[in-house]
Amino acid sequence: MPTLYYHHAAGLNHVTAPGHPERPDRLRAIEQGLSAEPFTSLVRVEAPEADLDVVALCHSNEYIDELRHISPKEGMIYLDGDTTMSPGTWEAALRATGGAVAAVDAVMKNKRTNAFVGTRPPGHHAETSRPMGFCFFDSAAIAARYAQRKYGIARACVVDFDVHHGNGSQEIFWSDPSVMYASTHQMPLFPGTGATQERGDQDTVVNAPLRPGNGSREFREAFDIAILPRLEAFAPELIVISAGFDAHWRDPLGSLELREEDFAWVTRKLMEIADKSAEGRIVSVLEGGYDLQGLRDSVAVHVAALMNN
């Protein structure tokens, strides 16, 4: 199975304040991890910019226009206490989404192909009309909706194992019976959503919150009991992964205790379901992960699993 790796140097130009955890060094750490010998067969592709009409599949035109209008030509602006724009942010955000959309094109046209989109800024906190939590455009959600609109996918899913709940993805798909959103995340923690009883209007939202200090056992049980059976019954024709690695034990923004092998395990489990109903089609989109060593090592085992290594 050929695995594609979408990236772009524009992600380094999205500059955040000194000390901000969502920083350009994250991409450098990923590049370091994926430069090792096991990844020489990765197909490396530069992420294109997304068309604005594709971004509008999940975000309002008014929101997109406002973000473009306020994008600074110099310096930095704060959209909230955590989320900033620099002169390079707009292009970086468009390429993050464009990479996810291009990955959908690739996996839909080539059988048994999957992809990892290693771009920033992340996206799963961005709601229809609101940036939030370092996020501007919800690339994972847009990828799922794009696959439906362009390729006639009847059922898509977004599976999110970031330490933070993807409130944006949940909001976007809350009333949609054709997209399942499933998440493990620490609770309580930012953004405060993701309780078990949040199930969506069509019972297609599956939240499996974890407690601070939970580790491999609780994470794997959450998937085995709450998520994987629901996902298998839903029989998605495409799986999009919101691949956040901040549930790693080293990460400064969470209190879960996952190890690299947990990310490899969940990747293989999702691949098994994709093989059954989606012809192996998986698009994995980078979300969080803020300890550079933990991010580097976790991405490496995640991509190695996608490559069947």
Side-chain angles (χ1 to χ4, degrees), residues 110-283:
N110 299 285
K111 286 190 175 182
R112 302 291 163 185
T113 298
N114 59 36
F116 173 67
V117 185
T119 54
R120 61 181 286 272
H124 71 156
H125 294 309
E127 297 182 345
T128 304
S129 299
R130 180 169 68 149
M132 187 175 172
F134 318 158
C135 302
F136 303 90
F137 301 139
D138 192 331
S139 298
I142 293 167
R145 179 68 78 229
Y146 174 78
Q148 292 185 308
R149 295 294 168 83
K150 183 164 184 180
Y151 297 100
I153 290 292
R155 296 173 309 283
C157 72
V158 177
V159 181
D160 189 337
F161 50 71
D162 193 279
V163 79
H164 304 97
H165 181 248
N167 58 290
S169 300
Q170 176 170 289
E171 182 248 355
I172 289 166
F173 296 127
W174 184 260
S175 301
D176 190 339
S178 70
V179 181
M180 175 171 284
Y181 174 70
S183 175
T184 55
H185 47 274
Q186 180 181 324
M187 200 172 196
L189 193 66
F190 177 90
T193 53
T196 306
Q197 60 267 30
E198 296 172 23
R199 301 168 62 101
D201 288 341
Q202 308 291 330
D203 197 29
T204 50
V205 172
V206 183
N207 285 308
L210 303 170
R211 296 179 179 178
N214 281 175
S216 300
R217 180 177 63 82
E218 294 87 357
F219 174 74
R220 297 187 188 204
E221 284 181 355
F223 266 92
D224 278 336
I225 295 171
I227 292 178
L228 295 176
R230 289 286 307 277
L231 198 58
E232 190 162 4
F234 188 70
E237 298 168 68
L238 171 70
I239 295 178
V240 181
I241 303 176
S242 272
F245 300 98
D246 39 8
H248 190 279
W249 68 272
R250 293 179 57 96
D251 202 274
L253 297 193
S255 302
L256 297 183
E257 299 290 331
L258 299 195
R259 308 280 166 162
E260 292 90 63
E261 53 266 28
D262 297 310
F263 297 113
W265 174 86
V266 73
T267 305
R268 290 191 295 268
K269 288 291 186 180
L270 294 174
M271 291 172 70
E272 290 173 7
I273 292 176
D275 283 342
K276 291 177 181 177
S277 62
E279 298 184 2
R281 294 184 293 243
I282 290 179
V283 171

Side-chain angles (χ1 to χ4, degrees), residues 48-60:
E49 288 190 25
D51 292 335
L52 295 185
D53 59 345
V54 172
V55 178
L57 292 174
C58 291
H59 297 285
S60 70

